Each structure stands twice: as structure tokens, then as C-alpha cells.
């Protein structure tokens, strides 16, 4: 484990990360990574616990709201920050009443007891072109990206391609999870495409309910699909910024996790050559998922 300074092409330090077990973790969030992962590996889970996993900015919190509503048989939004493995201390994670968690971990860093008990996992993935645009606009508002405030998009994009950001390269993250499902075919894991969920939210609320083996009423699923349309959800979140957002950002007048939520915004940001570079990297990774660029 080592503290590493990420520099831009001019040599300016733009982020401090901890390099551990082939992964980069934001230093000001994870602290002692080995100790954090050790504590998570000692945590016990219930058989019916659930985790939404994703590469950052892939619809994690959107999916979390839906799962939480279904699990709790309500259409009320959660008012706090979702319990993220690694960001919340284990003692706080143990107090999560509904057993719904979120994670940006690779499979090998997931808590051992969670995997051993085959707790259900929902993996939501989003096309990487929109991911990088969303991540660029998000990370500069966070404590982890405090030194990136003036960074041009093209520089950030190069760092994204080179795996210099927490989470590593998008293709490696996605590939490790698809390898996990191929090596563990009986593991209860549901892959969800962000773009498909945008097209048919009601259908995916039903799909998630079925995967979780819940007897959700049609009325509840209708209500959840209505309230979790992005604009409606974003309005609520921006009107109710949780106190524990201070763990993530110093911005306190809005909820920085919600921006546009669009599919296809990458067309306003990427040059043709950059878009083609994404196409080539995804093709070379041979990812067995349907990636949709809209």
C-alpha cells in the first residue's frame, strides 16, 4: 500500500490516491485501505442483504433508491447518503436497517462474508462515454477532486483512459465483474444496463422486484417508477441535501450526485477521435454485455 500523487501533463498534482492490490482509492475517503478492507472482511452479513455494484457514475444511487423502496415496501426516498462499502465505517454499516448497500469495489475486494453467503448483487453498468462526462462534472465538486477544479475535459479523459482515477479503467472494472459471473454461474447477480432502464423504468422496477423475490404490488411499482424518473428524483434530492454529504463534498446548496442523468450527453463533449478510441477499447476488452451509446 502506498500513497501516490497523480499529476497532469504539466506536472501539477491533481489527486492523491492510495495504490493497493492493483487498485487506486481516493486517499481522503479511504484512509488506511488495508485496514478498511480487513474490517469489511470481518463483518458478518445476513443472507438476504443486497449490494448495488457499479463503476462510479453509472446510476448507482438511482438503482439504490429503487431497491431500497422495493425492499422497504414504500415509495419514500432515502434521505441520507447510500451506505457505500469503504466510505462508511463498519460500525455504521452494521446499523443499516434494510441490508441494502452500494459498492464501487472489484469482486476481489467485496466483503468475504457477503460473497460467501451469496448475497444478491445488482450490477448496473452504463456506456463509458457518458460515464466519463458524468465523472468529470462530478469529481471536481468533491473533496477527492479538489485539485482538479480547473482541469480541461481532454486532460481528464486521458487520465480516465490511462486508469489514473479511482476505480481504474472502465473496461478493467467491467471485465472483472463479467469474469466473476462467468466463474460463478450460480451466483445471484443481475446485470442492468443504465440506458435500458432509462427507456423502460417501470419494466426494470418489476425486474428488480422479481430478482429480489419480493411480492411488490403493481401500485407500488407504478409509484416507484413515477417518483424515480430522474428529474423528479433530482428535484427531491436537491431540496433535501443530507447532512452526511459532507463526507463527499463541501458543496452544500445542492446534491452533487445528480446532474443531468441523460443518455447520450457524451455527444456534446467527445471529439470523433475520442469516441472512436472508446469504441476500440471496448471492442478490445471483449466485454460480454450489450453496451448502448444512444
Amino acid at each position: 500500500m502506498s500513497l501516490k500523487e497523480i499529476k497532469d501533463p504539466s506536472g501539477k498534482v491533481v489527486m492523491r490516491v492510495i495504490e493497493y492490490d492493483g487498485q487506486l482509492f481516493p486517499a481522503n475517503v479511504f484512509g488506511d485501505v488495508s485496514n478498511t478492507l480487513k474490517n469489511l472482511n470481518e463483518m458478518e452479513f445476513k443472507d438476504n442483504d443486497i449490494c448495488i455494484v457499479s463503476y462510479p457514475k453509472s446510476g448507482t444511487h438511482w438503482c439504490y433508491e429503487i431497491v431500497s423502496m422495493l425492499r422497504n415496501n414504500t415509495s419514500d426516498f432515502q434521505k441520507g447518503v447510500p451506505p457505500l462499502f469503504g466510505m462508511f465505517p463498519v460500525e455504521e454499516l452494521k446499523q443499516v436497517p434494510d441490508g441494502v448497500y452500494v459498492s464501487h469495489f472489484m469482486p476481489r475486494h467485496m466483503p468475504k462474508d457477503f460473497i460467501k453467503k451469496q448475497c444478491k448483487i445488482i450490477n448496473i453498468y452504463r456506456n463509458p462515454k457518458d460515464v466519463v462526462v458524468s465523472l468529470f462534472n462530478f469529481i471536481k465538486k468533491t473533496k477527492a477532486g479538489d485539485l482538479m477544479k480547473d482541469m480541461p475535459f481532454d486532460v481528464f479523459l486521458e487520465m480516465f483512459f490511462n486508469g489514473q482515477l479511482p476505480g481504474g479503467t472502465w473496461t478493467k472494472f467491467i471485465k472483472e465483474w463479467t469474469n466473476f459471473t462467468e466463474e460463478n454461474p450460480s451466483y445471484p447477480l443481475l446485470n442492468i444496463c443504465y440506458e435500458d432502464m432509462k427507456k423502460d423504468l417501470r419494466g426494470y422496477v418489476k425486474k428488480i422486484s422479481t430478482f429480489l423475490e419480493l411480492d411488490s404490488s403493481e401500485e407500488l411499482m407504478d409509484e416507484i417508477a413515477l417518483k424515480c424518473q430522474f428529474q423528479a428524483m433530482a428535484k427531491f434530492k436537491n431540496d433535501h441535501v443530507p447532512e452526511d454529504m459532507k463526507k463527499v463534498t463541501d458543496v452544500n446548496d445542492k446534491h452533487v450526485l445528480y446532474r443531468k442523468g441523460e443518455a447520450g450527453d457524451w455527444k456534446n463533449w467527445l471529439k470523433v477521435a475520442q469516441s472512436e478510441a472508446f469504441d476500440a477499447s471496448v471492442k478490445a476488452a471483449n466485454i460480454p454485455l450489450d453496451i448502448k451509446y444512444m
Side-chain angles (χ1 to χ4, degrees):
M1 182 176 73
S2 61
L3 183 64
K4 186 175 182 180
E5 292 185 334
I6 304 298
K7 300 179 180 180
D8 69 9
S10 72
K12 175 189 172 185
V13 174
V14 292
M15 181 175 282
R16 292 180 175 87
V17 297
I18 296 169
E19 189 170 23
Y20 179 81
D21 191 24
Q23 189 75 24
L24 299 181
F25 299 86
N28 62 342
V29 175
F30 282 81
D32 185 341
V33 174
S34 61
N35 191 55
T36 296
L37 295 178
K38 177 179 178 292
N39 290 338
L40 280 169
N41 281 333
E42 292 173 353
M43 182 175 166
E44 293 186 0
F45 291 85
K46 301 184 292 293
D47 291 342
N48 66 343
D49 284 345
I50 308 158
C51 188
I52 296 97
V53 301
S54 72
Y55 191 89
K57 304 309 294 176
S58 298
T60 324
H61 297 82
W62 182 32
C63 191
Y64 168 78
E65 290 292 340
I66 293 168
V67 171
S68 182
M69 287 177 176
L70 288 168
R71 167 56 73 88
N72 293 295
N73 198 35
T74 179
S75 60
D76 292 338
F77 288 112
Q78 290 287 340
K79 294 195 170 61
V81 174
L84 179 72
F85 287 157
M87 187 176 83
F88 283 70
V90 165
E91 289 308 312
E92 287 187 35
L93 292 174
K94 288 179 179 177
Q95 304 305 313
V96 173
D98 59 6
V100 181
Y101 302 92
V102 296
S103 175
H104 299 312
F105 284 166
M106 299 279 199
R108 66 180 181 274
H109 295 143
M110 290 289 287
K112 289 182 179 177
D113 192 57
F114 188 94
I115 298 298
K116 180 181 177 182
K117 287 180 176 169
Q118 293 208 324
C119 299
K120 286 184 169 66
I121 291 175
I122 296 176
N123 174 30
I124 182 166
Y125 66 94
R126 183 183 190 184
N127 87 74
K129 299 178 187 181
D130 273 331
V131 166
V132 71
V133 169
S134 183
L135 188 59
F136 172 74
N137 284 282
F138 165 73
I139 203 166
K140 296 202 294 182
K141 300 171 187 172
T142 69
K143 294 177 180 179
D146 191 54
L147 300 175
M148 291 183 167
K149 294 190 188 309
D150 299 321
M151 179 179 286
F153 176 71
D154 287 358
V155 173
F156 185 87
L157 180 62
E158 196 64 27
M159 293 178 65
F160 181 84
F161 269 125
N162 293 335
Q164 293 178 285
L165 301 171
T169 64
W170 180 89
T171 50
K172 182 179 179 183
F173 181 92
I174 299 297
K175 189 66 174 175
E176 289 218 15
W177 272 106
T178 57
N179 287 347
F180 173 83
T181 58
E182 289 173 358
E183 293 162 6
N184 302 274
S186 64
Y187 198 98
L189 186 150
L190 175 66
N191 287 313
I192 290 180
C193 172
Y194 179 98
E195 288 76 17
D196 284 344
M197 198 155 82
K198 285 283 292 183
K199 280 185 175 180
D200 181 18
L201 184 55
R202 176 59 170 81
Y204 273 84
V205 170
K206 173 69 174 176
K207 189 168 190 167
I208 292 169
S209 176
T210 300
F211 173 70
L212 298 179
E213 302 177 82
L214 299 172
D215 187 22
S216 306
S217 70
E218 297 296 324
E219 292 77 14
L220 175 65
M221 291 188 286
D222 286 344
E223 205 169 328
I224 291 173
L226 183 64
K227 291 188 73 172
C228 288
Q229 293 290 336
F230 186 83
Q231 294 305 324
M233 184 173 62
K235 183 181 187 310
F236 177 90
K237 294 296 181 179
N238 282 311
D239 290 343
H240 302 83
V241 179
E243 181 69 19
D244 51 5
M245 275 296 291
K246 290 179 180 178
K247 295 179 181 181
V248 179
T249 179
D250 291 326
V251 177
N252 55 24
D253 62 336
K254 61 183 176 180
H255 202 301
V256 299
L257 293 169
Y258 297 83
R259 191 177 70 95
K260 289 186 175 181
E262 294 179 357
D265 190 35
W266 62 269
K267 296 172 186 175
N268 299 315
W269 292 79
L270 269 66
K271 302 179 179 71
V272 173
Q274 293 168 336
S275 176
E276 290 174 346
F278 268 111
D279 295 339
S281 67
V282 171
K283 183 177 180 180
N286 195 28
I287 295 168
L289 295 173
D290 188 11
I291 313 300
K292 298 181 178 177
Y293 296 103
M294 306 297 285

